[in-house]
Amino acid sequence: MAVAILFGVFILLLISGVPVAFSLVCASLATFLYLGLPPIVVVQQVASGAGASSLLAIPLFIFAGEIMLRGGISERLISLAAALVGHVRGGLGQVSVLSSLFFGGVSGSAIADVSAIGGAMIPQMVARGFDRDFAVNVTMTAALVALLVPPSHNLILYSASAGGGISIADLFAAGIIPALLLTVTLMLVGWLIATKRGYAVEAFPGFRVVGRRFVSALPGLLLVALIFIGIRAGIFTAVESASIAVCYALLVTRLIYRQLHWRDFVETMAHAARTTGMILFVIASAGCFGWLLAYLQVPAAAVDALTSITHDKNLLLLMMVFTLLVIGTFMDLAPMIIICTPIFLPVAKAIGVDPVHFGVILILKGGIGLITPPLGSVLFVGTAIGKISITESLRTIWPFYFAAFTVLMIVTFVPALSLWLPSLLR
Amino acid sequence: MTETTADTRLLAHTARVATLVAGAALVGMAATEAWQVFARYVLNDSPGWTEPVALFLLATAMSLGAAASVRSWSHFGFFILAHNAPPALRRIMEAFACIVVAAVGAALAIWGSQLLFDGIDIPAAGTLLPESARFLPIAIAGALMCVFAIERLVVPAPKQPAES
């Protein structure tokens, strides 16, 4: 009965239009009252939910990403990508995908990625004769790459939701090959569509231009290396690397690029603070919800329920992936990670799936949810930037969607893609 | 009418201040953690105060950022049903959501204050901050959430898309 109250009140409030974080607190409060537990504990659990040291990395990476977005790093990365792949068939579409890989590495956020790259690339693509739907769809699906490249704050969130026992360095390493696979697949799809639609090809700017743009974008690219090597080599923790990222981004944008002025900095700070509040308040509220899940032994019940259907590992994995896909279409990525990790991770562990591998599956699958209606936030942002309706986008997005889904299936059933690099670097 | 506009302006200013304090807390967190790295490698002395201070700043950034997001109604949510409901039902759903948010805010403010005062005499390890200091931003943010949600109930704001 308590479990029914917990989930029933949560779902009822959610569909009534109450924000996720407040639905979580209310559902927890109702369950506490039903169980006769003191309701003040809800506030204690909310405070504890945001009290884990590893969570410090999330707002700092968000902040660093905002500084880079407004400080000129993103435009230099796009410029480098344009020099590298602009001459391939579907030129600017390919640039969007490659820019997402580069910029994902510094922002770690799909929304930041689609805003930064879409804002720059979609108008350019349209001006050069690309169809608006292609420009929007290639940019939106490419933004999913950012979720898997270090320093993706979603991977940190997954680690924290799993109780902090999963190495963030391993998760960062695990996302790299799936991200590269997604990049290559999306570029291939972009090339096929561009060929079919007969889009123009740009001239290769020459190696001198490539070299110049590489030098200009180098400080941004170095940051990824700094974070990754720093954590992997044990020089600093994930949290410390996030603070280094903020300081480094400030130095580069202020002293080298000279683009981030005081007014921009204040706005950057304010935007990062609002995003932090939204994400971390869900985490904090879910702390209370998660405590109740554990108290009511829901994860153990989920393991029993799923393993009673079948013991086949692949079938169970497939069932989990499809369940999470359905949940992901109705829930944004951060709340989905926080709520689903404590329920599904024990099931994954019970059937022998490595937690690092499961993390990559969860994030990639959640990313597909971001471009799926009714609640795909990347879909909303991308179509708004491209000035097309969601229906127009969905009419032609399916090849990209199919590509992302195929990569999800490959990553799900070939664990080595996620686990080889972490074991190599360990 | 004029009074309502003045109140709204005051609350807009309050939300802006809350956002800037949350932003300043982010800067403080970055500085605190960077100092930890500097002290460890350059001064060869890891300070013990950085973690509790950074966690207090985290609670501040989270709570005040979340409170400001109540005013802009940019929290994560599933709003599609409310958006597509008939106008009368939509108004009821929006009012209901505001009441729930205001109630949660009030609960955070009241119980947060109680927890703050309960532990105010116990110092946190490694700092001069009281052990219960983390409840201070939660209590303040709870009060702000309550006020902002009531404001939205009285003066419905134009819709803004959810951010991520």
Side-chain angles (χ1 to χ4, degrees):
Chain A
M1 184 61 186
V3 176
I5 291 174
L6 186 66
F7 282 98
V9 173
F10 173 61
I11 292 167
L12 195 70
L13 292 175
L14 199 64
I15 60 173
S16 307
V18 177
V20 178
F22 297 89
S23 302
L24 286 166
V25 175
C26 256
S28 306
L29 200 54
T31 314
F32 265 74
L33 292 172
Y34 173 77
L35 292 169
L37 297 168
I40 197 169
V41 178
V42 169
V43 180
Q44 271 178 325
Q45 290 299 328
V46 167
S48 304
S53 303
S54 61
L55 291 179
L56 286 163
I58 295 173
L60 292 177
F61 276 130
I62 291 171
F63 191 23
E66 285 286 336
I67 296 168
M68 290 164 197
L69 181 64
R70 289 164 196 255
I73 290 183
S74 60
E75 55 191 71
R76 283 167 178 82
L77 292 173
I78 292 172
S79 181
L80 172 65
L84 287 172
V85 294
H87 60 286
V88 178
R89 174 73 67 183
L92 292 179
Q94 311 289 12
V95 174
S96 269
V97 181
L98 198 63
S99 301
S100 285
L101 180 69
F102 291 161
F103 186 64
V106 294
S107 77
S109 153
I111 295 278
D113 199 287
V114 81
S115 309
I117 294 164
M121 295 303 303
I122 294 173
Q124 279 193 53
M125 278 194 258
V126 173
R128 293 193 197 183
F130 286 75
D131 293 308
R132 217 168 256 278
D133 60 325
F134 173 81
V136 169
N137 290 339
V138 73
T139 310
M140 286 193 310
T141 36
L144 306 191
V145 173
L147 304 172
L148 297 169
V149 194
S152 166
H153 62 251
N154 298 293
L155 290 168
I156 302 171
L157 188 53
Y158 168 72
S159 170
S161 306
I166 304 173
S167 157
I168 291 172
D170 281 353
L171 285 168
F172 278 179
I176 291 174
I177 292 178
L180 290 172
L181 181 64
L182 186 60
T183 304
V184 172
T185 312
L186 292 176
M187 285 179 83
L188 186 66
V189 172
W191 182 83
L192 287 171
I193 295 175
T195 307
K196 194 179 166 206
R197 294 191 183 183
Y199 292 142
V201 180
E202 307 270 322
F204 180 60
F207 287 105
R208 190 183 291 269
V209 173
V210 174
R212 224 174 19 236
R213 292 188 188 175
F214 177 76
V215 171
S216 174
L218 193 60
L221 293 170
L222 275 179
L223 178 65
V224 189
L226 181 75
I227 292 168
F228 190 69
I229 295 168
I231 299 176
R232 193 73 262 183
I235 299 168
F236 33 69
T237 63
V239 177
E240 289 165 355
S241 79
S243 77
I244 301 285
V246 172
C247 299
Y248 179 90
L250 273 175
L251 288 175
V252 169
T253 53
R254 191 71 202 97
L255 299 181
I256 300 178
Y257 294 159
R258 297 176 183 275
Q259 253 178 271
L260 194 75
H261 302 293
W262 174 247
R263 195 183 288 267
D264 300 326
F265 177 70
V266 171
E267 281 318 304
T268 301
M269 205 174 75
H271 197 269
R274 279 195 298 272
T275 310
T276 295
M278 282 156 48
I279 294 181
L280 284 184
F281 193 55
V282 177
I283 298 174
S285 310
C288 189
F289 195 85
W291 185 86
L292 275 169
L293 288 180
Y295 183 82
L296 298 168
Q297 299 182 327
V298 174
V303 174
D304 288 345
L306 280 169
T307 49
S308 68
I309 299 170
T310 175
H311 283 285
D312 185 287
K313 178 183 169 179
N314 289 336
L315 196 58
L316 276 169
L317 204 49
L318 203 60
M319 279 164 57
M320 273 199 289
V321 167
F322 277 101
T323 310
L324 288 166
L325 262 176
V326 173
I327 296 171
T329 56
F330 291 96
M331 203 175 272
D332 225 314
L333 187 55
M336 195 210 72
I337 295 170
I338 301 159
I339 295 165
C340 293
T341 301
I343 299 173
F344 288 97
L345 182 60
V347 182
K349 279 182 179 168
I351 59 172
V353 177
D354 190 285
V356 171
H357 177 211
F358 185 70
V360 176
I361 298 172
L362 184 73
I363 306 292
L364 182 54
K365 189 226 60 57
I368 294 174
L370 291 178
I371 52 167
T372 311
L375 208 72
S377 42
V378 167
L379 186 68
F380 292 141
V381 175
T383 51
I385 293 172
K387 297 187 177 69
I388 60 169
S389 69
I390 288 176
T391 317
E392 279 174 278
S393 159
L394 292 179
R395 211 172 285 145
T396 51
I397 200 174
W398 64 267
F400 294 103
Y401 206 91
F402 180 73
F405 185 75
T406 306
V407 172
L408 172 66
M409 286 296 114
I410 295 171
V411 168
T412 302
F413 292 106
V414 186
L417 285 174
S418 311
L419 300 177
W420 175 73
L421 202 54
S423 64
L424 186 75
L425 297 172
R426 211 170 278 149
Chain B
M1 183 69 188
T2 316
E3 249 176 51
T4 308
T5 312
D7 291 347
T8 304
R9 251 190 236 135
L10 176 69
L11 291 178
H13 189 67
T14 310
R16 178 74 180 159
V17 170
T19 308
L20 291 179
V21 173
L26 283 181
V27 176
M29 274 164 62
T32 306
E33 288 297 328
W35 177 257
Q36 170 67 249
V37 177
F38 179 80
R40 187 166 67 241
Y41 289 112
V42 180
L43 307 179
N44 204 21
D45 173 30
S46 282
W49 57 267
T50 53
E51 189 169 322
V53 169
L55 285 174
F56 173 72
L57 294 170
L58 175 72
T60 306
M62 173 200 79
S63 307
L64 296 179
S69 296
V70 167
R71 191 165 193 279
S72 57
W73 209 252
S74 49
H75 276 281
F76 294 114
F78 181 72
F79 305 120
I80 199 152
L81 279 184
H83 283 185
N84 291 304
L89 180 61
R90 179 179 167 162
R91 274 195 295 277
I92 293 171
M93 287 172 86
E94 286 176 352
F96 175 68
C98 289
I99 292 166
V100 171
V101 171
V104 169
L108 292 175
I110 295 164
W111 288 325
S113 309
Q114 197 177 323
L115 289 164
L116 170 69
F117 291 116
D118 282 352
I120 202 132
D121 297 327
I122 308 163
T127 64
L128 297 172
L129 288 171
E131 221 265 322
S132 60
R134 64 195 169 126
F135 294 110
L136 176 65
I138 291 178
I140 294 171
L144 289 175
M145 284 172 187
C146 185
V147 172
F148 292 150
I150 291 169
E151 181 205 13
R152 192 178 169 83
L153 194 63
V154 180
V155 190
K159 297 288 166 294
Q160 293 190 19
E163 298 172 51
S164 177

